[in-house]
Amino acid sequence: MLAPASMAARHCPNPECPFFKKFNAPAEYREGFESCSDCGSALADGPVPTLASAVAVAVADPAMVAPAEAVTGSGEFLRPAAVSLVALILAALCDQVLLPGIDPSILSLLAEGGARPDNASMMMSVFSLGLNPFLSAFVLVEFVALLIPSWRRLRTGGPTGRARLRTATVVLAVVFAFVQAWGMGRFYADFGSGPAFEGQPFFSGEGALPIPVIILLLAGAVLLLHGLTVVVDKRGLGNGYAVVLLGMSLAPAFRLLAQAVEYMSLGVVDSLSGLLGLLGLVGLGWATVKILRGQLPGMSRGTEQPSWLPLPASGLAPISFAGALLSLPATLGTLLGVSELASLSRALESSLWVYSLVFFVLLTLSSAAFSVLFYSPQRVGAVWAALTAKDAAERPVVHGRAALRTRELLPVAAAWSVVLGTMAWLPASLAGPLLALPLPSMVALVTGVAIAMDLVEEARKRREATWVPVWPVHRSYEVEPAIVALSAAGIPAWARGVHARTLLQFFGPYFSIDLMVPPERTAEARTLLEKAQQA
């Protein structure tokens, strides 16, 4: 039975308790009760811990409001949600805006040439470049900032530093947009000269435009999509790039699923195999939620700091890295004219099981390497010391404890990263050769699930109260100590965008993690975090 705070003798310590999730506070009980009526957990003696005790045992969930004080009131929710929903729909429909004057037979010719339906549709769209110029520019600027000593502090220097990097990114992205648009223009102009499409022009219908105008259209479409991300960032729910990229992935995914269902209805694919493949997609989505939430053996959040490491520790980079290593012999063989290297690559690709085994070994090794690279115990310890140590004397102690705890968590975090990487790579690689079943990209599915989780979490928080972003975070292990520090100062806080950014780690600077606080605590929170960065 719930008791008033003054009479409470016991409380539920489970941060996943339904009562805690609903009221942002543990359920309290009178003497005589042994378990929580909401979740069944054994009760802990004493009333709800004070703020100091809560900070001492760390935050149970980095995306949860810090238990510094109650945040009440109804936040603005419907308008931001409507903005993001409209942006999502517009992004999903953008591949339906076709370039004028395309020959009607082009789509069937592209399909005969082996192009997937989603790729063929995008090649014919005004938005065929998507946001790729900006994504490339973001990553390149991040690399440059990492390599140039005077730029490094900009990466973690809060809103001011990130704004300077973003300005450089936009300038570079505009250049990339026109360069890539010129490349697509050359592709369209030379389309009929290829052996597969000899004599067939890409544009021959009514309203065909000159290639220079097509180039301007393609580049302008990139800038329009970027503008849509800015609108979502300022007025909507969630990260602008996350919302727009999620929308752009929906239409191709639904087309491939529709094609899979059509194959089953026509008997091209066995119905049982097709059903298993579709159920596999659902299973992958469910497993992704569990892994990203850390609800896993060996990853339970304890009382030490850090209480856990955001998963996957390696991100999804090992999938691309392993694929690049396997294609390296063929690439070098072509460039250097060494036929033996090309033969080695063909031998690997000729056997699905050998290729899969080698890929898995490379995936495992690279997952371990990237996990250590992204969650270096020394760097994690340094962040905890800077944000949570009370004074210079305590800093080495906090640093050492956090580094040691990170070393304890890393092996399990790396292992679960291998599991998620395998799930994101294996089904699609086997479904085509074994089942002849067209399936969407598993990496895109996992990323979409992560974005959806972040959006749902933000919607829940903003429906309960009003929050504003106060500090961008680009290292996922910095989230928990930042919230602990804000909690110690009595500032309620939570982090949005954690899951999507953790999937991409260093390679996803366009997916920013934002620390959110009440509007009236913005200046105080920013001052605290700036001082910690300077320590």
Side-chain angles (χ1 to χ4, degrees):
M1 179 179 181
L2 293 178
S6 59
M7 302 174 57
R10 316 195 78 184
H11 70 277
C12 175
N14 180 17
E16 298 297 325
C17 177
F19 185 97
F20 189 101
K21 289 186 173 182
K22 183 175 181 179
F23 298 102
N24 288 327
E28 297 183 352
Y29 294 81
R30 295 190 180 96
E31 191 66 49
F33 289 85
E34 300 296 330
S35 61
C36 175
S37 59
D38 291 285
C39 66
S41 299
L43 299 180
D45 292 327
V48 176
T50 62
L51 169 62
S53 300
V55 174
V57 299
V59 178
D61 186 340
M64 190 175 293
V65 175
E69 61 183 54
V71 179
T72 59
S74 177
E76 185 182 25
F77 164 70
L78 292 180
R79 184 180 298 174
V83 170
S84 292
L85 179 61
V86 170
L88 188 78
I89 294 173
L90 291 176
L93 297 176
C94 68
D95 67 346
Q96 300 301 308
V97 183
L98 301 182
L99 290 165
I102 295 178
D103 189 279
S105 62
I106 288 296
L107 185 60
S108 59
L109 286 174
L110 291 173
E112 292 173 5
R116 286 159 48 118
D118 51 337
N119 293 335
S121 296
M122 282 305 297
M123 289 171 63
M124 301 165 60
S125 170
V126 172
F127 296 90
S128 58
L129 294 179
L131 282 167
N132 291 330
F134 276 88
L135 305 186
S136 302
F138 266 110
V139 176
L140 182 56
V141 169
E142 200 75 7
F143 264 115
V144 173
L146 180 66
L147 296 176
I148 299 177
S150 60
W151 283 31
R152 286 176 189 166
R153 289 191 66 85
L154 298 178
R155 298 183 57 241
T156 57
T160 303
R162 294 306 311 187
R164 292 177 62 183
L165 292 181
R166 189 177 181 92
T167 299
T169 297
V170 171
V171 173
L172 184 61
V174 171
V175 175
F176 282 178
F178 279 95
V179 171
Q180 293 181 23
W182 177 83
M184 287 298 295
R186 294 301 306 167
F187 166 77
Y188 295 141
D190 299 338
F191 182 80
S193 61
F197 314 111
E198 186 171 356
Q200 173 64 55
F202 200 91
F203 299 102
S204 62
E206 184 178 351
L209 299 174
I211 293 299
V213 177
I214 295 294
I215 293 173
L216 290 176
L217 273 178
L218 295 176
V222 173
L223 301 181
L224 187 61
L225 286 175
H226 171 69
L228 189 58
T229 71
V230 174
V231 172
V232 174
D233 283 334
K234 292 183 177 181
R235 306 291 183 186
L237 200 70
N239 174 274
Y241 274 83
V243 171
V244 173
L245 289 173
L246 176 62
M248 294 183 70
S249 68
L250 289 179
F254 282 128
R255 275 196 296 270
L256 286 173
L257 289 176
Q259 187 180 34
V261 172
E262 182 182 4
Y263 279 9
M264 287 188 290
S265 64
L266 295 176
V268 177
V269 176
D270 178 72
S271 297
L272 179 59
S273 299
L275 182 61
L276 290 176
L278 297 178
L279 289 176
L281 294 179
V282 177
L284 176 59
W286 175 83
T288 299
V289 172
K290 290 293 185 181
I291 292 176
L292 294 182
R293 286 180 175 172
Q295 299 172 338
L296 307 162
M299 287 301 293
S300 58
R301 300 182 176 101
T303 60
E304 298 179 70
Q305 297 176 338
S307 62
W308 74 310
L309 295 179
L311 294 178
S314 64
L316 295 178
I319 298 177
S320 300
F321 188 75
L325 286 179
L326 279 174
S327 64
L328 187 59
T331 303
L332 291 177
T334 302
L335 292 176
L336 302 177
V338 181
S339 59
E340 289 78 6
L341 290 175
S343 299
L344 174 62
S345 180
R346 286 194 295 270
L348 284 173
E349 294 175 356
S350 63
S351 174
L352 176 63
W353 300 110
V354 172
Y355 183 90
S356 299
L357 178 61
V358 175
F359 191 102
F360 178 75
V361 171
L362 293 175
L363 178 68
T364 302
L365 295 176
S366 56
S367 293
F370 277 109
S371 295
V372 175
L373 179 64
F374 293 145
Y375 291 157
S376 164
Q378 290 303 314
R379 287 202 302 271
V380 175
V383 168
W384 273 93
L387 286 167
T388 64
K390 298 177 182 177
D391 49 43
E394 190 183 34
R395 202 164 290 137
V397 178
V398 176
H399 183 292
R401 288 177 178 172
L404 180 61
R405 173 63 173 164
T406 303
R407 289 191 186 95
E408 294 173 353
L409 291 172
L410 258 179
V412 178
W416 281 111
S417 299
V418 173
V419 172
L420 182 61
T422 303
M423 291 192 306
W425 152 72
L426 193 60
S429 64
L430 295 181
L434 296 182
L435 302 178
L437 186 65
L439 291 178
S441 164
M442 299 297 103
V443 172
L445 174 63
V446 170
T447 305
V449 169
I451 294 172
M453 290 173 64
D454 288 331
L455 289 173
V456 169
E457 176 68 13
E458 182 174 352
R460 185 173 69 85
K461 299 294 188 190
R462 293 179 67 168
R463 186 173 53 190
E464 296 170 354
T466 300
W467 304 89
V468 294
V470 68
W471 196 268
V473 174
H474 285 264
R475 298 175 295 188
S476 55
Y477 59 77
E478 192 176 341
V479 170
E480 187 181 0
I483 290 183
V484 168
L486 292 169
S487 176
I491 303 173
W494 59 280
R496 73 172 179 185
V498 174
H499 298 309
R501 180 54 190 269
T502 304
L503 282 182
L504 300 182
Q505 296 286 2
F506 173 85
F507 301 102
Y510 39 88
F511 286 171
S512 172
I513 300 172
D514 295 306
L515 296 177
M516 310 288 286
V517 301
E520 65 273 12
R521 310 299 297 271
T522 301
E524 185 182 354
R526 184 167 296 180
T527 299
L528 184 152
L529 293 169
E530 285 175 348
K531 288 182 178 179
Q533 290 292 331
Q534 295 167 3

